[in-house]
Each structure stands twice: as structure tokens, then as C-alpha cells.
Amino acid sequence: MSHTLTEMIGPEDHNVPTYLHVLDLPALYTKPSAAALLSILDRFALPPPSWDKPTTAHNAAPAGFDKWLVSVIASPLSWLSEEEQESIRDNASERISERCGRSARGEMQRVFRIPTAPRQLQTHLLSSALSSASASTSPGSSGVNTPVLEADDVHTVEITLHEPALTADNLGLKTWASSYLLSKRLATMALPATSRALELGAGTGLVGLAAAAALGAEVLLTDLPEIVPNLKRNIEANQHLGVRASAEVLDWRDVPAPLPSQADRFELVLAADPLYSSEHPKLLVDMVMVWLRRSLKARAVVEMPLRDGYQGERDDFKQRMLAGGLVVADEGTETGWDDWGEKGGEVRCWWSVWKWASRCT
């Protein structure tokens, strides 16, 4: 009896084998063709993981696949042409990097599906929130005051983001769980029907682009000089969605003088995962105070992961926002996933919507 465990994967795929064990893969001493090797390598490529649920992509490859990849790279592949050898080694190296975590992977394209809601529904949500504002200024941590859209109200757009290969500490070039969670939440929030919005620390631009798509606002995405070129690239890549967005450099240490007029400020300011050091709470709140318009409708929306080592920074942020005259209009916690979360990528996040405690100019 043959040792192979190759089986068929379905009635429509009679020519595509399922590899259940490393021994099902072609042994290199049999001198498999370049086409056969490339077919296997392409088949077990791992796409960027979906953050809607933990990935199980590793289970798609047969047991022992990683060792087989190493043997392919180590083999002289002498029966193949030099061009074929190079192509196979490059593909095998990519398969290994995909299985070694985000830091080992090169540049990538991620696609995020973001729900949107009709503008008239957004207006209704805001009106409902304003009419009930006197009842409570802090609904607690469950987020129950955030309306939930019915299935018939939900439309989706797909936002495609380029993430360069990660180098040094430039983690602003990757997308984080809190950004995805906030992007999906925007369509359910009671936010102002503003024509202009600002994102602070935009990173790859997911939140700002989602706001442009879900809220119909013209969004200014801002970050440090080394981040903005990729931001502009991602804005350009999503122009087919009809979004209105632009990107500029904004260093939180640079407080404009003179301060912007009320007309130049924004009724909606967004930030996701903005705290990475003890100095960030002050810098972030300073930017909110500078750029958030002093109006009844104005909102600052922030989402951040509940990392154990940053409780002090979160407390500092809350205290500074309150001291600056802002109060929590709505808040809650939710769970998402990303490349570096614990428990299989799980990340617990806190989101909050802030408004001015009283109308001031």
C-alpha cells in the first residue's frame, strides 16, 4: 500500500490534493518539478490574519511543514534552473516569515471591512443623544448607551491598507486592534454631522478613512513625518471609495501659536491607541484642547487597549481631559485581536466619547 495520505478536498476539486502530513509532500530526493514545488508553496501562503476572530491559518498546513520549508531552502535544487531555484527559495522564505509573527514579515496589504450607516440614521443617533444628555453624563463602562444598528441599516466598505516592513521602533506603520474596533464602531456612535474631522496619531489611517467613509466627513489624518508618506499612500489607494481625506504632519509637541480660531477647529477629533509613554497623556490632551471646537456638538473619540503596564497613562489621560473641561458622554469596553495581543492575539480595549461640560468660547 502506498504511504501517501493524499485525499481529495471536495467534489469540485478532484485534482487538488490535501496534504495531511509532511510525508505527503514531495520528497526532494525525487527531484520534483519547479511547478510542483511552487504550487505547494503558493497553496500554504498565509494571508494577513483577520481580526474578526483568532486566526487558525497555521492548521491549514500539514504537520512538519515548517521543517519541510527549511529543507527546501537548504537544498541545492540542482535539477532546476537558477531562476527556478531563486523563485522557490524566495517563496519558501516568505512562508517561513509568515509563520514567525508580524515582525518577521515584510510589507503587506491588509483589507478591513468597515460597516457604515446612512447619514440620516447618524443624524437620528446624535439627536437622540443630545435630547437625553441631561439624564446622565457618564453611562458607565458597559457602553449600553451606544445604539446598535439593525442588519438592514448596515452597509460595508473595504479599506485596503499598506503596511511597510517593520524596522526599529516605527510601530506607527502597522494597524492595531483598537483602530479596527473604533473604525467598526463609528457607524453606531452619536457623532456630529460635521463636514470636517481630525485624526491624531493616524498610523496607517484606518480610523480616519473609516470616518470619511462612514460619516461622510472630510478627514485630516495627522502623524509624525516618518509616518505621513505611508498615510498618503493609503489615502490614494482608497480613492475609489469616494472618501475625502488628506494627510499632514502634526507633532504633538508643537502647539500652534497663535491658537487656531474656532472656525479652524474640528467638531470631531479621533485617536486610537495613542499612549505609549508617560509624556503622551499630556501631549494628547493638549492637542485635543487645541483642535476640538468649543461647541455643544463637538466630540473627541478615543480608543485604547487596556495594557497592564499603561494604567497610569490612562488615568493621567482621564484626569487631564476632565481638568480641561471635558466629560465622558459614552464609554465601554470591547475585545479585538491583533498581531501582538495575548491569548492568541486577544486585546481588550476601552473606548470613550468626550464632550464639553458646558458651552464655552
Side-chain angles (χ1 to χ4, degrees):
M1 182 178 68
S2 172
H3 185 76
T4 182
L5 296 177
T6 301
E7 299 175 352
M8 297 299 116
I9 64 174
E12 302 299 326
D13 298 291
H14 293 297
N15 295 319
V16 182
T18 294
Y19 301 97
L20 301 180
H21 191 275
V22 68
L23 294 178
D24 291 328
L25 299 169
L28 297 180
Y29 71 83
T30 66
K31 299 181 180 181
S33 68
L37 292 173
L38 288 172
S39 176
I40 293 170
L41 292 170
D42 288 344
R43 175 171 180 176
F44 295 118
L46 295 182
S50 167
W51 292 345
D52 290 314
K53 59 182 178 180
T55 179
T56 57
H58 283 79
N59 297 331
F65 182 66
D66 293 354
K67 292 183 178 179
W68 184 82
L69 288 173
V70 173
S71 71
V72 170
I73 294 174
S75 171
L77 303 174
S78 56
W79 64 94
L80 303 175
S81 69
E82 290 186 3
E83 183 178 356
E84 290 171 333
Q85 292 172 16
E86 182 178 2
S87 178
I88 289 168
R89 291 195 181 100
D90 286 347
N91 274 269
S93 297
E94 288 181 14
R95 299 297 84 79
I96 289 176
S97 70
E98 291 164 359
R99 288 159 171 79
C100 292
R102 177 63 184 96
S103 298
R105 296 185 71 153
E107 63 179 20
M108 65 170 63
Q109 303 290 118
R110 290 193 196 265
V111 177
F112 298 92
R113 183 170 294 174
I114 304 300
T116 63
R119 185 65 256 178
Q120 60 268 28
L121 180 59
Q122 287 285 337
T123 303
H124 171 71
L125 297 179
L126 179 63
S127 299
S128 298
L130 292 175
S131 64
S132 61
S134 59
S136 173
T137 59
S138 181
S141 61
S142 66
V144 294
N145 285 8
T146 298
V148 177
L149 298 181
E150 298 296 331
D152 291 344
D153 295 323
V154 177
H155 305 277
T156 62
V157 296
E158 288 189 348
I159 295 177
T160 302
L161 300 180
H162 176 258
E163 292 187 9
L166 300 182
T167 58
D169 293 326
N170 241 345
L171 296 181
L173 294 174
K174 79 169 295 293
T175 313
W176 297 87
S178 55
S179 297
Y180 187 33
L181 290 171
L182 179 54
S183 296
K184 292 191 296 181
R185 178 168 287 279
L186 288 172
T188 72
M189 287 179 157
L191 299 176
T194 182
S195 60
R196 296 169 60 244
L198 171 70
E199 183 182 7
L200 299 171
T204 58
L206 179 58
V207 172
L209 288 167
L215 307 178
E218 181 177 353
V219 185
L220 176 60
L221 291 73
T222 64
D223 214 309
L224 295 171
E226 60 269 26
I227 305 298
V228 168
N230 190 57
L231 261 180
K232 292 182 176 180
R233 173 176 179 165
N234 286 336
I235 291 172
E236 181 65 27
N238 290 278
Q239 284 304 302
H240 64 283
L241 299 176
V243 296
R244 296 179 298 154
S246 58
E248 292 183 10
V249 172
L250 179 60
D251 189 326
W252 296 354
R253 294 179 178 84
D254 298 334
V255 177
L259 294 176
S261 67
Q262 288 301 310
D264 290 332
R265 299 188 187 198
F266 299 83
E267 284 190 327
L268 179 61
V269 174
L270 305 162
D273 209 341
L275 306 181
Y276 285 96
S277 75
S278 59
E279 65 177 351
H280 284 167
K282 179 182 185 304
L283 294 174
L284 174 61
V285 174
D286 285 348
M287 286 295 99
V288 173
M289 296 299 158
V290 166
W291 292 109
L292 185 64
R293 184 176 297 176
R294 303 295 180 99
S295 74
L296 180 64
K297 293 196 305 179
R299 296 291 186 272
V301 183
V302 183
E303 181 142 357
M304 59 187 70
L306 296 172
R307 298 188 182 103
D308 292 339
Y310 288 84
Q311 181 64 53
E313 283 77 6
R314 292 194 297 273
D315 291 342
D316 190 14
F317 165 76
K318 296 176 187 178
Q319 292 166 7
R320 291 180 182 275
M321 292 285 276
L322 292 170
L326 290 161
V327 294
V328 175
D330 201 0
E331 63 178 340
T333 58
E334 56 189 343
T335 299
W337 291 269
D338 69 17
D339 299 317
W340 283 297
E342 299 178 356
K343 301 178 182 177
E346 184 176 304
V347 182
R348 190 73 174 161
C349 296
W350 169 66
W351 59 268
S352 55
V353 181
W354 299 78
K355 65 178 183 179
W356 295 107
S358 59
R359 188 162 187 164
C360 49
T361 58

